[in-house]
Amino acid sequence: MIEEGSKRGKAMVEKRQLFMEMRAQNFDVIRLSTYRTACKLRFVQKRCNLHLVDVWNMIEAFRDNGLNTLDHTAEINVSRLETILSSIYYQLNKRLPTTHQINVEQSIGLLLNFMVATYDSEGHGKLTVFSMKSMLATMCGGKIVDKLRYVFSQISDSSGVMVFAKFDQFLREVLKLPTAVFEGPSFGYTEHSVRTCFPQQKKILLNTFLDVLMADPPPQCLVWLPLMHRLANVENVFHPVECSYCRSESMMGFRYRCQQCHGYQLCQSCFWRGHANGPHSNQHQMKEHSSWKSPAKKLSHAISKSLGCVPIGEPPHPVFPEQAERPQDQPHTIQPKPVANNMNDTMLMSSGAPTPNKSVLESPSRLDEEHRLIARYAARLAAEAGNSTVSDPTQCPPTDLSFNFDANKQQRQLIAELENKNRSLREILQEIQRLRLEHEQASQPTPEKAQHNPTLLAELRLLRHRKDELERRMSALQESRRELMVQLEGLMRLLKVGEDEEQKQAAQTGGSPHSSPSHGAGCSMPMPIRSTSAGSTPTHTPQDCLAGVGGDVLEAFAQGVPRNLRNDLLVAADSITNTMSSLVKELHSVDDAAEEEESHMRNGGGRDAE
């Protein structure tokens, strides 16, 4: 009796200890209940060392302790629960290095008392198997998509369809966690919680379940769950930005930017506490940022995105097979690999396993848009060249003429698309020039610093010299792109003149335009065409227009009879693609130089203070 009384007294002390430490963190000053709940549960997770246990290790522990053979409604006493928690933490210490070992006994005591206080408020000394699984799977570490997959395997039937009654039971259990940290009025269970998550759907499969619970925003009753994972991901994220309220020169964690006040940004501490100054108000819409990107990185990403080098609109989670999966706590369960998304079949989707595959950002099938357009254009030209080798017009099918007219129309559309692409590239280059000027103005040192710190002045001279070199290389890249576009325009001009000459001869002889294939390059009919790169309108003969063009285009038309036009155009397209890749690399070099200059400026400021 005395021993049992001492154990009960120790349990009460440990129970009060966890909640007293949580109150000492002063989370109640956070004005938004969502952030307040997520911060409290994150504190409990870290204090009990559950963030070190991955969800797959948790599932393995369930199997090792025979919970996969028990019904969800079966009850286990506190002694067996303590045994299960002991196996989880002792296995964790085996995986951790010796310098990062945890206090197993303390972790077991804190977590055991928190679970009993949450799920056994009436003091029966027993918990259901489903309560324990729901709590541990939610509060452990790992990816949220893996946790939700495990939850779905527990609440779905043999055909892979969610059972609404089981999902309702899951909400009952998981929403006891906010109630345990005194946030029940905001996120307590109600009878309408299930229908607020799935108001219209009747048949819920795995991908639909993940879409709803991982949406932005998620269902209101579970909005704290993804936020808790985002908190874990940004705890060590650094933002080199000054807070507009507390004037702190750096931020850790989340960063919030006002959508109405230009340049107004708050650190997470000021935003959570509702601080505001100047024209800004707490009623303004704020955008949450979990990472920092410099302006140059944003521009390079935008260029790569416009050229098709990065996927657009990635799905929030991998797409998994729709057939039923075996419960993931059954023995010998192999995690199935997801099928590729039909909308983006060039991406390798993550399988949800502990070592997921990475998405492929670039592949041979994801060519640059200009490259694809030029390749399609070259293929049609090659097909027409093959048709033009027929000397007898009577051997051509009657539909060749109409097909030729349709091909010419498509060629003009492709040329117009290429001109639009070139116009967009010019706008991007203008934006680069504008950002470079802004960077030069921001990096200008004050005369006082330059006079009192000659070392800083010498470093700035070196950085300016490096910047001038980068600008010269950028100009060379722009000139190369301009020369390639001039070559392509000359080639298109020659082809157009050849078509007109064939049509003219056909009209004179009454035959097919394909009857004289080798006279297009030698005709002298002027063909005016607007040049978007060279800035002039040539009106001389097509043979003379090759005087300023070199490389493969000159070789192709030097002998009077074109060689393989498709290969020539593909070579030119490869040159354009390589040039744009070099441009993106140079943008990254400019960004690195800017970061280096900013670092030197901070070091210079520190030396001045000394």
Side-chain angles (χ1 to χ4, degrees):
M1 294 294 294
I2 298 176
E3 184 178 356
E4 292 180 359
S6 61
K7 287 184 178 179
R8 190 179 300 107
K10 182 180 179 182
M12 293 299 295
V13 171
E14 291 176 345
K15 176 183 177 181
R16 288 195 299 267
Q17 176 187 352
L18 180 62
F19 288 103
M20 289 175 62
E21 291 179 1
M22 185 176 65
R23 286 195 179 96
Q25 299 295 319
N26 202 19
F27 291 123
D28 289 330
V29 300
I30 302 176
R31 65 186 183 95
L32 298 176
S33 61
T34 304
Y35 286 97
R36 192 166 60 244
T37 304
C39 288
K40 290 180 178 180
L41 292 177
R42 175 63 177 167
F43 172 79
V44 174
Q45 182 190 47
K46 295 181 66 176
R47 187 66 182 86
C48 297
N49 290 313
L50 277 176
H51 66 295
L52 302 176
V53 184
D54 191 83
V55 61
W56 302 108
N57 301 128
M58 193 67 72
I59 297 172
E60 182 181 1
F62 294 162
R63 287 201 301 259
D64 293 341
N65 288 275
L67 297 180
N68 57 315
T69 61
L70 298 178
D71 188 77
H72 284 173
T73 59
E75 293 182 341
I76 57 176
N77 55 30
V78 177
S79 299
R80 185 174 181 185
L81 176 60
E82 185 175 3
T83 303
I84 295 172
L85 298 182
S86 300
S87 67
I88 293 173
Y89 283 115
Y90 280 113
Q91 289 296 325
L92 172 63
N93 256 356
K94 291 181 180 180
R95 295 190 297 269
L96 294 177
T98 55
T99 56
H100 293 76
Q101 297 286 302
I102 65 172
N103 188 335
V104 174
E105 296 298 330
Q106 184 184 36
S107 299
I108 294 173
L110 291 174
L111 181 56
L112 179 64
N113 285 283
F114 179 76
M115 294 181 67
V116 171
T118 303
Y119 294 102
D120 187 29
S121 58
E122 298 180 359
H124 296 303
K126 294 182 179 181
L127 279 74
T128 64
V129 173
F130 190 63
S131 298
M132 190 194 64
K133 285 184 176 180
S134 301
M135 185 272 175
L136 293 178
T138 303
M139 294 294 292
C140 68
K143 298 180 179 179
I144 185 172
V145 63
D146 297 333
K147 295 182 180 181
L148 294 177
R149 281 188 63 199
Y150 173 72
V151 169
F152 187 83
S153 70
Q154 301 298 304
I155 63 175
S156 57
D157 57 17
S158 59
S159 60
V161 180
M162 187 189 77
V163 180
F164 277 89
K166 292 184 178 180
F167 179 66
D168 180 78
Q169 184 62 29
F170 167 73
L171 288 182
R172 288 176 184 268
E173 303 299 338
V174 79
L175 291 179
K176 289 180 182 178
L177 293 173
T179 304
V181 293
F182 314 107
E183 296 297 334
S186 299
F187 300 105
Y189 172 81
T190 63
E191 296 179 356
H192 306 287
S193 298
V194 176
R195 286 303 171 186
T196 57
C197 298
F198 303 99
Q200 298 178 351
Q201 296 91 338
K202 295 183 179 180
K203 183 179 180 181
I204 308 300
L205 301 177
L206 174 60
N207 291 310
T208 306
F209 181 79
L210 296 177
D211 289 338
V212 172
L213 297 190
M214 297 183 65
D216 188 16
Q220 181 61 32
C221 61
L222 294 174
V223 69
W224 51 270
L225 180 58
L227 178 58
M228 188 175 68
H229 286 79
R230 296 204 305 273
L231 281 173
N233 294 331
V234 302
E235 284 181 347
N236 299 318
V237 174
F238 174 77
H239 305 268
V241 183
E242 182 184 44
C243 177
S244 300
Y245 184 84
C246 66
R247 300 301 176 186
S248 174
E249 296 183 356
S250 60
M251 302 182 188
M252 293 293 292
F254 286 120
R255 172 171 56 92
Y256 298 90
R257 182 166 55 87
C258 182
Q259 301 297 292
Q260 300 183 27
C261 305
H262 178 70
Y264 193 90
Q265 302 190 80
L266 292 176
C267 62
Q268 70 176 21
S269 178
C270 293
F271 176 75
W272 288 357
R273 286 159 175 78
H275 294 162
N277 58 347
H280 178 70
S281 170
N282 287 331
Q283 304 302 321
H284 291 181
Q285 183 180 3
M286 303 289 286
K287 185 175 183 181
E288 178 187 282
H289 294 272
S290 58
S291 62
W292 162 257
K293 289 184 180 179
S294 63
K297 282 185 178 179
K298 292 179 181 177
L299 182 60
S300 63
H301 180 76
I303 294 176
S304 301
K305 191 174 181 180
S306 64
L307 295 178
C309 297
V310 295
I312 302 175
E314 296 185 13
H317 63 84
V319 179
F320 297 96
E322 295 294 354
Q323 62 266 23
E325 290 184 327
R326 296 176 62 185
Q328 296 180 9
D329 57 359
Q330 294 293 329
H332 312 297
T333 299
I334 300 176
Q335 298 303 322
K337 295 183 178 180
V339 296
N341 190 351
N342 293 331
M343 299 300 294
N344 193 5
D345 55 1
T346 60
M347 295 177 57
L348 296 179
M349 310 307 296
S350 168
S351 64
T355 56
N357 296 326
K358 295 182 179 179
S359 299
V360 176
L361 298 184
E362 294 181 0
S363 64
S365 61
R366 290 188 62 85
L367 296 176
D368 176 72
E369 184 67 22
E370 281 189 79
H371 198 163
R372 289 200 301 268
L373 291 173
I374 295 175
R376 287 163 52 194
Y377 185 46
R380 291 190 178 94
L381 290 178
E384 289 183 5
N387 293 334
S388 63
T389 56
V390 182
S391 59
D392 186 3
T394 60
Q395 297 179 1
C396 296
T399 59
D400 283 352
L401 188 59
S402 61
F403 174 78
N404 187 33
F405 289 156
D406 294 337
N408 290 337
K409 182 178 180 180
Q410 294 177 357
Q411 291 167 12
R412 294 188 186 94
Q413 293 177 353
L414 290 173
I415 292 173
E417 292 176 4
L418 288 173
E419 291 178 350
N420 293 332
K421 283 286 183 181
N422 191 32
R423 194 177 303 110
S424 300
L425 288 175
R426 286 203 304 272
E427 294 174 358
I428 291 174
L429 293 176
Q430 291 175 0
E431 182 68 12
I432 293 174
Q433 182 66 21
R434 184 185 65 80
L435 289 175
R436 187 162 51 223
L437 292 176
E438 292 180 358
H439 178 69
E440 290 176 356
Q441 295 175 359
S443 62
Q444 289 292 335
T446 59
E448 293 79 4
K449 285 187 177 181
Q451 292 175 1
H452 295 289
N453 195 345
T455 304
L456 177 61
L457 185 60
E459 292 175 352
L460 288 176
R461 287 198 189 98
L462 291 175
L463 288 174
R464 288 174 183 168
H465 180 68
R466 171 62 177 166
K467 180 174 67 64
D468 293 338
E469 291 180 354
L470 292 174
E471 290 177 352
R472 287 193 295 269
R473 293 177 66 182
M474 184 71 71
S475 300
L477 290 172
Q478 295 175 6
E479 185 63 28
S480 300
R481 186 186 66 83
R482 189 178 299 110
E483 291 177 359
L484 288 171
M485 294 304 296
V486 170
Q487 293 178 13
L488 287 176
E489 288 169 359
L491 180 59
M492 294 175 185
R493 207 160 43 243
L494 287 173
L495 294 174
K496 180 62 179 177
V497 170
E499 291 177 0
D500 293 344
E501 181 65 21
E502 289 178 1
Q503 294 177 0
K504 183 176 180 181
Q505 291 180 3
Q508 292 176 357
T509 59
S512 172
H514 297 291
S515 60
S516 56
S518 61
H519 294 80
C523 64
S524 61
M525 179 183 297
M527 180 59 192
I529 184 170
R530 183 175 180 275
S531 173
T532 59
S533 299
S536 61
T537 305
T539 56
H540 45 74
T541 62
Q543 189 65 34
D544 293 337
C545 73
L546 293 175
V549 178
D552 294 321
V553 178
L554 182 60
E555 295 177 5
F557 292 93
Q559 303 300 326
V561 178
R563 61 177 186 177
N564 194 339
L565 301 182
R566 182 175 182 273
N567 292 336
D568 297 332
L569 283 175
L570 288 177
V571 169
D574 290 335
S575 301
I576 291 178
T577 304
N578 294 333
T579 303
M580 294 312 302
S581 299
S582 302
L583 177 60
V584 173
K585 292 179 181 178
E586 290 302 324
L587 286 172
H588 287 292
S589 300
V590 172
D591 178 44
D592 294 338
E595 292 179 354
E596 182 180 358
E597 182 176 355
E598 182 180 352
S599 175
H600 282 295
M601 290 290 290
R602 286 201 297 267
N603 295 333
R607 287 193 292 269
D608 290 342
E610 294 176 359

